Amino acid sequence: MSLEKLVQISSTSPLPIYCTNPTCTQPQNHLGDRDCQTCHSPIPYRYLWAVGLEGTAIQPGQLIGNRYYVMHSQVWLDTKPGILPLMPDALSNPYLPYLHLYSHHLHLPQAYGVYPFGTSPNGIDILLLENIPVDHNGSLLPSLVESWPKATVTRQVYWLWQMLQLWTPLAEQGATYSLFVKDNLRVEGWRIRLRELHLGRIQPTLRDLAEAWAAFIETSQESVRKRLQEIQTLMQGNPDPLEVTQLLNQLLLEQAAKLPLHLSVVGATDSGPGRSHNEDSCYPTLEELEPHPTYPDNRLIPYLSIVCDGVGGHDGGEIAAQLAVQSIKPLVYSFIEEITIQDELYAPELVISQLQEIALVVNNVIAAQNNEQGRSAKSRMGTTLVMALQLPQTLGSVGSERRNTHELYIMNVGDSRAYWMTRETCQRLTVDDSVTTREVVTGRSFYREALQCPDAGALTQALGTREARFLTPMVQRLIIEEDGVLLLCSDGLSDHDWVEKSWSEFAPKILAGQKSLEAAVREWIDLANTQNGRDNVSVVLTYCGVSLQRVVLSEVPEKPTVWEPEIELTEASRALMYDDSAGDTIGIPAAKAQPRRPTWTLIILGILLLALGIGLAVWWQKYRSNRSPAPLRETVEQLDSPLA
């Protein structure tokens, strides 16, 4: 039953849904209202999945516990989303796997709370899950089985690749059986989503997965069927999952490279109405989009986008954010140049390792500034980072033209975020490095309970506040196989869920050519200043188009989306990104290349970039004398302590 039909049926006795604004004087609204009739705050419709047979025992149409309305079998609507749900007395199975797998939120649901079913002593708690695969009316998204025949060849291979990516983390929690229950596998556009985790069963093997894939492979697009059958045969020998993933990845990139790719990017940053200075920094800004010959900025557009939010106040945070952006650009440039002169594709594992190395290098440059200036504990400067790189690897096997493989890498440290938006959906790609996240992934509390901590939003990671050995940048890879808009932003916009509340006013219009990227950036900054208003805000939007019809979405000139190396790197340039073992892997097929951890590269690059940092620090010391003081965003030294 859809929400619209439910509203019509219950019009004589409207069901209530409550506003989440704690200061609202009359929070009760009618089911179907999207905004509070009293305070006009957006009302979240939080759909939940009731796990287990007990969940199926409660029929649709009931309001239980004076709170949860049963929309469909096992799909409940929380009519009081502003109130903390009931939490279990102890955290053990079946709760812990959901907590430990929280970082895989793009594909997996998360624990929300429990509902007591039955009376003591025989009563049990029904586990309620949020972030479940339903549409805006609470109806389950289509299953993989029913969606498969209608999917493009690229999407079919992409779905299988995602299942393999989930194999290892699910196996670590004893939950790989979740990939074998047909009704459990749902799809939302490009991504696979699981309805729930299935635990406590004999764990299947890759051989079993190959058998489960048989029906999919037999009905796959003819152009890839033979290759998929070869991969299936390999899986029947129960090999290392990485070996299978590499073969499937090669096939995926070959199919993605057949699609066109158009990129446009626009970014801007603003101090906001409540601040006299701006501790944010982003790339590219509107000014940087103007044609100019400066190395390497002109050729990084539109592939690279960055948002940094400084930590440590205007005498530190601002310089850390700017130093991070200015340090990342030449490192990424060198990395892209190295990749584009190779004949073989670099494996995702190797790319991820190198991007993490870049983050560690930048971290040490900022940390060296802290040490040189005698900063310690809460006075140390640092910055968050969210970075997107459309890596212009190419295949030369698509006719005579080298075609982009459509890989999009997202790296983040801290709480600046990345979102992927289409005409129908908005998906948050990143997970905040916050106390809340730490409490969840370590199995200490459910997400909603962790949000109640006084320091819930405090950072647990930032660039520059500690040595690189304490830093773990998160990197993930996506494939661009549909038109979409990538948003990077600081918490000046993302706070209070303003991206989730407002995206539908922006993304569909951008993708329809009715709003330019530049206009959207400015309007989103205005929204952040109006609704949040007490922080700096940075917004960078990248249009990623695979449509045959190219749409101009910005007032700024578009850059070509085929990277052509200008020079062949010298041995000294290679040394910037690779250690002595690099010669053993450069030019080797991706399936054989292994990711490397940073070694003396950090020291070399740190020395090279330190000059930039010292110059910026000297400039800042002169500049800040004319600026008014501002509250510090606290940082601490201890690994397990938050960064405020």
Side-chain angles (χ1 to χ4, degrees), residues 1 239 398 576:
M1 180 183 298
V398 186
L576 291 178

Side-chain angles (χ1 to χ4, degrees), residues 160 526 579:
L160 296 180
D526 290 342
D579 57 25

